[in-house]
Amino acid sequence: MGKYLYQAIMSPDEEGGYVVTFPDLPGCVSEGDTFTEAAAQAADAAQTYVASLLAHGDSVPRPTKVDCPEGAESVLIFFEATPDYLVTGEVVSAAEAARRLSLSPGRITHMLDAGILEGYREGRRTWITVKSIEARQAVPVAAGRPKKVLMA
């Protein structure tokens, strides 16, 4: 797993919150209502950007330091990325995944958090890969809560 540290420029937005750009990652832009939320969203955006570069065999830009524009703040964003961070294949909503697995949408979310299902969150929506649903259907289900998968 690659570890990365990039400079991000956090600029106050006219309508409130912050817009975040990365000078070394062209087109990688994020935003958030608060400074903390903007930094967290920026880390996710940069992680996805670098994971995409790695998945496509492109080189990852070396981090540099640039002068911060007046009125903006410069922050360093750390993240880890691998090509398998990207979710590929067909996805369905948590509600549809719940129907297919005869579980509640909340249980689906717990299984995603535990690493039992693959997917991602987009705002308040949760998306699950069809491939991970089919893999789960092929395994006999034991009673009880799903166990967390230890990430290496």
Side-chain angles (χ1 to χ4, degrees), residues 92-108 117 125 127-128 133 137:
V92 296
S93 68
E96 177 60 24
R99 280 190 285 282
R100 292 183 185 192
L101 293 172
S102 300
L103 299 170
S104 71
R107 182 69 167 214
I108 295 297
L117 294 174
R125 303 283 315 249
W127 301 97
I128 307 296
I133 293 169
Q137 288 171 326

Side-chain angles (χ1 to χ4, degrees), residues 65-81:
K65 181 150 177 36
V66 299
D67 292 332
C68 186
E70 192 173 323
E73 294 186 55
S74 174
V75 295
L76 294 176
I77 301 289
F78 171 81
F79 59 92
E80 297 177 327

Side-chain angles (χ1 to χ4, degrees), residues 16 29 51 56 82-83 91 96 104 110 113 118 120 122 129 134 138 144 152:
V29 179
H56 291 94
T82 61
V91 293
E96 177 60 24
S104 71
H110 289 150
D113 292 342
E118 294 178 348
Y120 59 94
E122 187 176 60
T129 64
E134 291 170 348

